[in-house]
Amino acid sequence: MDPFARVPLGGTDVTVTRLGMGLAPIGGLYSAVGDRTGVAAVDEAWQRGVRFFDTAPLYGAGLSERRAGTALREHSRDGYTLATKVGRRLTPGRPDPADIWAEAGETVLTWDFSADGVYASLHESRERLGVDRIDVLHLHDPDDHFEAAAGEALPALVRLRREGVIGAVSAGMNRSAMLTAFARTGQFDCFLLAGRYSLLDQSGLADLLPECERRGVSVIVGGVYNSGVLADPVPGATYDYRPAAPNVIARAQAMERLCDRYDVPLRAAALQFPLGHPAVASVLVGMRSPEEAADAAAMASVKIPGGLWRDLVAAWLLDPEVPVP
């Protein structure tokens, strides 16, 4: 499977590369990145063949959008696909000292899934990105805001799609049940599912993925490394942004040992695994530096023998009913 091939999202004209760049890290996730490194990371991903970029106002209080815009303005707007998110607005204020964004500055984010909030947030994102259009617009983490997201924000997104302001309507979160409820409205073109369809967690198979396959809705999978443990399963690794339990690390290490038999990095297997499901159009990998961008492109290009997937099943590390690439 060519990681740089472009495939459509749902029934839209929007296309994405199989490997996409998640832009949260260049917003200074956990530690400062700086403008130069953030822009260079996007440049490296571009040079490697990535043409799908996913950001949000949340990521570094707009820093991710600004840095991505600086890098991408060197290229034709028709040459890449750009996604951002609505549901949080940036306002002046004193950030929480425990904030995970190291460079956020004097801003806070407030929840806003109103129609007016959607229009304002989209306008602000386009200003930060320096673009005239957004291809994919996600409702961002509407976990505790279902009624407002479904009743106010979703009709606004549908209107924006109808008017040609955006190309695809989406929602992104790390729980599959609400996304499945959204899918049943018949109004969505795609979804971003984070962390719930990985080598360690295939819970998205219980509801969202089959529903999307039936409806012709595309799924973009994020969190393929489950925040770190599938990239490097050492003691102290994180799983869903918390210290991984010993049994989780042991399971990931068992997978890594089988990968080693085939000279396949665990990162490559973790990155490519979701693409085995017919509903999955793309995987998003967070990249905070040129080195990480180069590594993601390399892992996406590794040839994985079918025997590895069979061995994972034989070792009870993968369910035999789970589709593989």
Side-chain angles (χ1 to χ4, degrees), residues 2 13 21 23 49 58 69 79 82 97 99 109 124 145 163 169 171 194 213 226 239-240 246 262 269 290 300 320 325:
D2 180 359
D13 294 329
M21 182 178 189
L23 295 167
L58 171 67
L82 184 60
D99 196 356
L109 287 111
E124 292 157 4
H145 306 273
E163 295 174 348
V169 171
E213 184 179 4
N226 284 124
Y239 177 68
D240 286 352
Y262 290 89

Side-chain angles (χ1 to χ4, degrees), residues 73-275:
R73 70 176 53 119
E74 301 298 319
H75 306 288
S76 166
R77 182 62 189 85
D78 292 333
Y80 61 90
T81 298
L82 184 60
T84 193
K85 304 176 181 72
V86 294
R88 292 177 173 95
R89 297 278 309 282
L90 292 174
T91 57
R94 187 179 298 276
D96 185 339
D99 196 356
I100 62 174
W101 305 100
E103 303 171 81
E106 296 297 310
T107 55
V108 295
L109 287 111
T110 57
W111 292 102
D112 190 348
F113 284 99
S114 68
D116 287 345
V118 166
Y119 301 138
S121 182
L122 175 60
H123 173 74
E124 292 157 4
S125 287
R126 289 191 299 190
E127 288 287 309
R128 287 188 290 268
L129 286 157
V131 297
D132 59 356
R133 76 171 193 274
I134 299 297
D135 299 300
V136 183
L137 195 58
H138 307 285
L139 300 175
H140 196 185
D141 292 339
D143 305 59
D144 299 321
H145 306 273
F146 179 80
E147 290 186 4
E152 300 179 49
L154 177 55
L157 264 63
V158 170
R159 177 182 176 183
L160 290 167
R161 179 182 59 193
R162 183 173 64 247
E163 295 174 348
V165 178
I166 64 174
V169 171
S170 181
M173 56 195 302
N174 58 12
R175 300 180 186 179
S176 61
M178 187 179 291
L179 293 181
T180 305
F182 280 138
R184 289 170 181 152
T185 68
Q187 299 296 316
F188 286 83
D189 304 300
C190 55
F191 294 106
L192 170 54
L193 178 65
R196 303 285 78 84
Y197 194 56
S198 72
L199 280 177
L200 286 172
D201 183 342
Q202 294 108 50
S203 56
L205 272 178
D207 45 22
L208 181 65
L209 287 162
E211 187 72 23
C212 287
E213 184 179 4
R214 284 192 294 270
R215 293 178 176 272
V217 174
S218 295
V219 177
I220 301 158
V221 174
V224 294
Y225 298 149
N226 284 124
S227 85
V229 68
L230 284 172
D232 188 15
V234 297
T238 55
Y239 177 68
D240 286 352
Y241 305 101
R242 297 180 179 87
N247 65 310
V248 172
I249 293 174
R251 188 173 181 86
Q253 289 175 338
M255 291 178 175
E256 185 174 50
R257 287 193 292 272
L258 284 179
C259 287
D260 287 345
R261 293 182 187 176
Y262 290 89
D263 198 26
V264 170
L266 176 61
R267 300 189 309 286
L271 189 157
Q272 295 185 37
F273 163 73
L275 293 169

